[in-house]
Amino acid sequence: MSEEYRRSPYPTFETLRRHHPLFYDARLDAWIISRYEDVTRAFRDAAVFSSRSWDDQLRPLVQHSLMAMDGEEHARHRRLISPAFQRKRLTERISSSIETSARQLVRAFAADGSADFAEHFSRRLPVRVIMRLLGVSEDNADFRRWYRAIVDYSGNFDQNPEVTRAGLAAGEELAAFLDEQIRRRRADPGEDLISLLCTSEVDGERMADDMIKSFGLVLLAAGGETTEKALNLTVCHLLDNRLGAAVPTEERLLDRALAETLRLTPPVQVITRVTREAVTLSGGSLPAGALVFLLVGAANRDPARFERPDTFDVYRQDAEADRAFAGAAQHLAFGSGRHFCVGASLAHMEITTALRVLFDMLPGLRLSPGFVPRDVGFVTRGPQQVLIDFPPVPAHATR
């Protein structure tokens, strides 16, 4: 909780990995693990490391969610959810929507010659995509308000009471809205995600309304903020490493840049688990019932796993982009094992499509002279401001 840590957690991560790979923090009443092998073990060994810790954090907002499930309950609901994300017509429609929305957002500031990318693009794109995904009209101002309040709530680690109140109120309003949407889709399904979840069936079983509603809330609380931060971080890395000019011409550069961003500066730095039984890791033994902080940001920079781990390298051979957005990913930004993020492929499509539009429409894009991105956050982390400059593009040239 120190100011030094807030400025940059990575020196602390190095100290923990090297000298205190299993560290008990009395203030948090939690055990902290930081080595790649230990964090990977905790993700993959669901029999020992339970996800029920998410219930304590998310239940006030989303009730019982997929993220907090274990064992057969988790497997059953994941089998119902995963196919919906793989429906060709849904992904094609969302891909087109991402490109259209990205062009509209860039067009709004292209003639200005400068902008705050975070404010004018990355804060706005995820809510548009989620609305399209759920089949919500883009002129629904309430949904946009709910989205912002829920994203702020999910990042409210200072426990600001006003942010908490607004987030919970938005959650209640959104839950009522989703109840009505689910009722309509049950009666008349379409091609949106809610409809696909309503009609998804495995071994004669369908998802209950409460679980569909919970998933919609998690999509906003977890998916929106992380995508927003990943957009900001990837743009900063590309521009800081003078790779922007190569984006329109170098095939798969964006895939590699996003994969390396997720490894070097994962938007989610910390994930929690609870031990079901005593377990031994590389740094010692954990008791049963222990709250465990998995330091994803530390594991992704473990020199025992990655060469030159503190260097941004889009051509890295020990974390290939081909595997970065599926269960075989070598970085841990999306988790690992049974709880690998179900929306990883959607996040990949959204971010790379949007950034391809950005660099295509704004040749000469760079970080504003003198601007240095500053990452903030404890559990989730990324810059809140990304100031960019570019040669102004007349409105008629962006149509």
Side-chain angles (χ1 to χ4, degrees):
M1 300 303 169
S2 67
E3 183 57 34
E4 179 184 11
Y5 183 94
R6 288 175 183 269
R7 284 195 301 270
S8 176
Y10 299 108
T12 302
F13 289 168
E14 181 180 2
T15 299
L16 287 168
R17 277 194 315 264
R18 184 175 298 180
H19 302 294
H20 309 284
L22 182 61
F23 180 79
Y24 177 72
D25 189 306
R27 293 169 301 172
L28 299 172
D29 190 22
W31 297 80
I32 299 171
I33 59 176
S34 49
R35 290 180 177 170
Y36 184 90
E37 65 172 302
D38 292 335
V39 174
T40 303
R41 162 88 185 275
F43 274 130
R44 294 180 179 175
D45 192 349
V48 174
F49 292 89
S50 169
S51 300
R52 71 174 186 271
S53 58
W54 281 108
D55 253 352
D56 296 334
Q57 300 172 53
L58 294 177
R59 187 177 283 274
L61 181 67
V62 303
Q63 301 303 311
H64 189 46
S65 72
L66 181 72
M67 294 172 67
M69 293 178 182
D70 287 320
E72 177 54 33
E73 182 186 31
H74 174 267
R76 185 172 68 254
H77 283 90
R78 189 170 179 115
R79 285 196 299 270
L80 288 164
I81 289 171
S82 294
F85 278 91
Q86 298 164 6
R87 294 283 184 92
K88 185 177 181 181
R89 276 192 287 180
L90 178 67
T91 56
E92 287 177 347
R93 188 162 67 100
I94 295 304
S95 177
S96 174
S97 173
I98 293 167
E99 181 165 354
T100 299
S101 294
R103 289 191 178 280
Q104 291 171 345
L105 290 171
V106 174
R107 196 174 293 127
F109 61 78
D112 298 338
S114 64
D116 179 356
F117 174 78
E119 173 60 30
H120 293 102
F121 192 95
S122 63
R123 282 173 62 93
R124 304 182 186 201
L125 181 69
V127 65
R128 291 190 179 201
V129 173
I130 291 172
M131 291 172 78
R132 181 69 169 170
L133 191 65
L134 297 177
V136 177
S137 170
E138 286 199 13
D139 62 3
N140 189 318
D142 282 337
F143 194 94
R144 296 176 185 276
R145 175 175 59 81
W146 298 331
Y147 168 83
R148 196 71 250 163
I150 288 171
V151 167
D152 291 344
Y153 172 92
S154 68
N156 183 29
F157 305 111
D158 292 331
Q159 295 298 301
N160 181 308
E162 183 58 28
V163 173
T164 299
R165 185 204 63 75
L168 292 176
E172 290 179 2
E173 293 177 38
L174 178 58
F177 173 81
L178 290 174
D179 274 334
E180 175 61 19
Q181 297 302 308
I182 293 166
R183 185 188 66 76
R184 291 182 180 181
R185 303 307 202 287
R186 292 275 193 211
D188 184 21
E191 287 296 326
D192 56 89
L193 182 60
I194 294 177
S195 295
L196 295 177
L197 293 176
C198 285
T199 56
S200 179
E201 184 174 318
V202 175
D203 297 331
E205 180 183 13
R206 290 190 172 184
M207 285 187 73
D209 289 2
D210 283 349
M211 288 310 306
I212 298 174
K213 179 171 63 177
S214 173
F215 187 74
L217 288 161
V218 167
L219 191 62
L220 265 71
E225 184 189 19
T226 53
T227 301
E228 183 179 313
K229 283 181 164 55
L231 281 164
N232 289 338
L233 288 161
T234 307
V235 163
C236 287
H237 284 308
L238 282 165
L239 297 182
D240 193 43
N241 287 274
R242 301 184 180 182
L243 292 167
V247 169
T249 58
E250 187 171 339
E251 186 178 0
R252 302 213 61 211
L253 177 60
L254 283 176
D255 289 344
R256 292 194 295 269
L258 175 56
E260 181 66 345
T261 294
L262 294 171
R263 184 201 65 82
L264 185 70
T265 50
V268 178
Q269 296 270 315
V270 183
I271 298 289
T272 60
R273 292 289 188 265
V274 174
T275 54
R276 295 176 179 275
E277 59 190 55
V279 60
T280 299
L281 299 174
S282 71
S285 297
L286 277 165
L291 175 63
V292 188
F293 279 35
L294 285 58
L295 297 189
V296 174
N300 274 356
R301 293 193 183 206
D302 190 339
R305 177 59 183 81
F306 300 105
E307 293 183 7
R308 298 176 298 107
D310 298 319
T311 300
F312 183 82
D313 180 5
V314 293
Y315 304 106
R316 180 174 293 280
Q317 297 300 307
D318 51 9
E320 299 97 328
D322 288 343
R323 302 168 58 183
F325 311 104
Q330 293 141 312
H331 67 78
L332 301 174
F334 289 129
S336 188
R338 297 177 185 175
H339 280 269
F340 186 84
C341 176
V342 71
S345 60
L346 173 65
H348 170 223
M349 178 173 65
E350 180 176 350
I351 294 165
T352 55
T353 300
L355 294 186
R356 186 169 292 107
V357 168
L358 176 76
F359 284 98
D360 281 346
M361 293 181 68
L362 301 178
L365 183 67
R366 64 174 184 170
L367 292 176
S368 297
F371 171 71
V372 178
R374 179 175 176 266
D375 294 351
V376 297
F378 174 61
V379 174
T380 59
R381 188 173 179 85
Q384 292 181 317
Q385 187 179 53
V386 180
L387 301 185
I388 54 174
D389 284 355
F390 44 88
V393 181
H396 65 82
T398 61
R399 295 197 177 112

